[in-house]
Amino acid sequence: MKALYAHAARDLRLSPCDAGDPGAGEVRLRLARGGICGSDLHYYQHGGFGTVRLKEPMILGHEVSGHVEAVGDEVEGLVPGDLVAVSPSRPCGACGECLRGLPNHCLNMRFYGSAMPFPHIQGAFREVIVADAAQCVKAEGLSAAEAAMAEPLSVTLHAVRRAGSLVGKRVLVTGSGPIGVLAVLCARRAGAEEIIVTDIADGVLGFAREAGADMTLNTLSDPEALAPYQQGKGSVDVLFECSGAEPALRGGIAALRPQGLAVQLGMSGDMSIPLMQVTAKELSLMGSFRFHEEFGTAVALMQKGLIDVKPLLTHSFAFDDFQKAFDTAGDRSRAMKVQLEIA
Ligand SMILES: [Zn+2]
Ligand SMILES: [Zn+2]
């Protein structure tokens, strides 16, 4: 069995790893697709992000789908051959945060492909994995490529849920990568009346328009593009900051109307914020981190045709071509979501 390890920045290697047999409550999966996420790219390009650094070789990957190959004891509802979306979220279920109903904040979280804890949590870009049956959501009716989008879609569903009602609201999404575009789809589904998207690259803004954004603005070629929304005290109700870039957050906060809400999803390290505007406009500032129960919702929304992720799936590469896949994923002029064809 092979797995894709990140040893350090710019050092990815396909090396052997063990699989093992499923125990009680577990299944063995032959992985089919693995989407490359911004965090995987950070490990590849920089060896980590913020204070999170690679300290030992780590298998990347947390956006995966696969087929059930073997089923352990006490597993119900899954049989060999089933296509499943695999949630990388593995909270302990017993710590204070889990018991408080916040499993995404589990103190013992074992989220696939994360260098936050040490030893690092090994990821899922691998041919075979033993997973808890509870992580697997049957994805019949979807392609393996769509099923592997359940994870990023869960991230944006969680953010939209955190934001509260969007019905009739004017929403600004800063950053038009996969998370930004999925945020557009989720905000629209949640009743947003007007959605504006900004980025510094024209190519990716096309995906936001295709996803239903009413207005897309390139803030690199036109630094004043948001000025109409910043007039007076601002006119945007909710900001979803999906870029992790400080100028995007600043521009978005300037566009928020009094008592507006900024939801921060983008992650690239600490940013400074214009706190005086937060005070003087009585803004709310909210973080959004991962997801848990939204994973099943993500699969269901795709199965029902209520959210279509297919236009985001721009590239896929054979597992052995991982180098090309990561280099493509890092090129925003060409790629939206890049996936590995693991099997
Ligand atoms: Zn991801
Ligand atoms: Zn826990």
Side-chain angles (χ1 to χ4, degrees):
M1 299 309 151
K2 283 180 294 184
L4 184 59
Y5 287 86
H7 286 251
R10 305 271 162 197
D11 184 1
L12 300 182
R13 301 180 211 172
L14 213 47
S15 316
C17 75
D18 299 332
D21 289 320
E26 294 179 333
V27 294
R28 190 170 69 229
L29 303 169
R30 190 154 285 273
L31 293 172
R33 287 284 180 135
I36 298 175
C37 176
S39 63
D40 297 313
L41 262 182
H42 277 294
Y43 290 123
Y44 168 58
Q45 291 173 333
H46 314 294
F49 50 92
T51 56
V52 178
R53 314 307 304 180
L54 280 174
K55 299 189 190 85
E56 63 177 340
M58 182 180 81
I59 303 174
L60 295 176
H62 57 267
E63 302 181 1
V64 292
S65 64
H67 292 95
V68 176
E69 192 176 66
V71 176
D73 292 338
E74 299 163 34
V75 172
E76 279 170 34
L78 291 173
V79 295
D82 281 346
L83 172 67
V84 292
V86 189
S87 175
S89 175
R90 295 185 296 165
C92 73
C95 73
E97 298 304 330
C98 283
L99 294 176
R100 234 155 52 90
L102 300 177
N104 58 321
H105 294 287
C106 173
L107 302 175
N108 310 305
M109 175 63 92
R110 295 176 304 131
F111 198 97
Y112 284 156
S114 171
M116 280 185 187
F118 184 85
H120 302 334
I121 309 301
Q122 299 298 322
F125 287 165
R126 44 193 288 170
E127 289 171 319
V128 174
I129 198 167
V130 171
D132 294 337
Q135 291 172 253
C136 301
V137 177
K138 276 214 263 189
E140 65 244 285
L142 298 180
S143 65
E146 289 171 279
M149 290 295 282
E151 195 273 345
L153 179 55
S154 304
V155 168
T156 53
L157 284 174
H158 184 72
V160 163
R161 179 187 233 175
R162 294 269 296 140
S165 174
L166 295 179
V167 175
K169 301 241 171 110
R170 175 183 273 174
V171 167
L172 171 62
V173 176
T174 51
S176 189
I179 291 294
V181 176
L182 290 169
V184 171
L185 292 168
C186 292
R188 181 62 86 209
R189 181 54 59 197
E193 185 173 323
E194 186 181 355
I195 304 176
I196 305 143
V197 182
T198 64
D199 201 282
I200 56 172
D202 281 326
V204 292
L205 286 171
F207 292 92
R209 277 193 297 279
E210 196 176 340
D214 299 282
M215 172 72 76
T216 57
L217 302 168
N218 186 324
T219 49
L220 182 67
S221 59
D222 179 7
E224 294 303 308
L226 274 176
Y229 302 97
Q230 295 164 339
Q231 269 174 14
K233 288 195 169 190
S235 58
V236 167
D237 297 291
V238 179
L239 162 67
F240 291 102
E241 204 302 290
C242 301
S243 73
E246 190 172 316
L249 176 64
R250 287 181 170 272
I253 283 180
L256 280 176
R257 63 164 32 122
Q259 298 197 345
L261 168 66
V263 183
Q264 183 65 40
L265 286 99
M267 281 215 278
S268 64
D270 283 339
M271 299 190 261
S272 81
I273 50 171
L275 201 58
M276 267 312 295
Q277 286 189 62
V278 175
T279 306
K281 292 204 287 186
E282 300 187 315
L283 302 179
S284 297
L285 190 56
M286 177 182 275
S288 184
F289 184 59
R290 294 179 178 163
F291 55 86
H292 189 69
E293 65 272 35
E294 292 87 353
F295 194 83
T297 307
V299 173
L301 288 175
M302 288 190 286
Q303 284 175 319
K304 293 179 180 187
L306 296 172
I307 285 193
D308 181 9
V309 298
K310 290 192 289 294
L312 280 77
L313 300 168
T314 52
H315 297 78
S316 68
F317 294 90
F319 203 18
D320 287 334
D321 284 335
F322 62 87
Q323 195 65 55
K324 217 190 269 175
F326 271 75
D327 288 334
T328 303
D331 179 358
R332 301 191 73 224
S333 68
R334 289 189 293 158
M336 181 54 59
K337 178 57 73 182
V338 177
Q339 291 184 334
L340 295 164
E341 301 162 10
I342 301 176

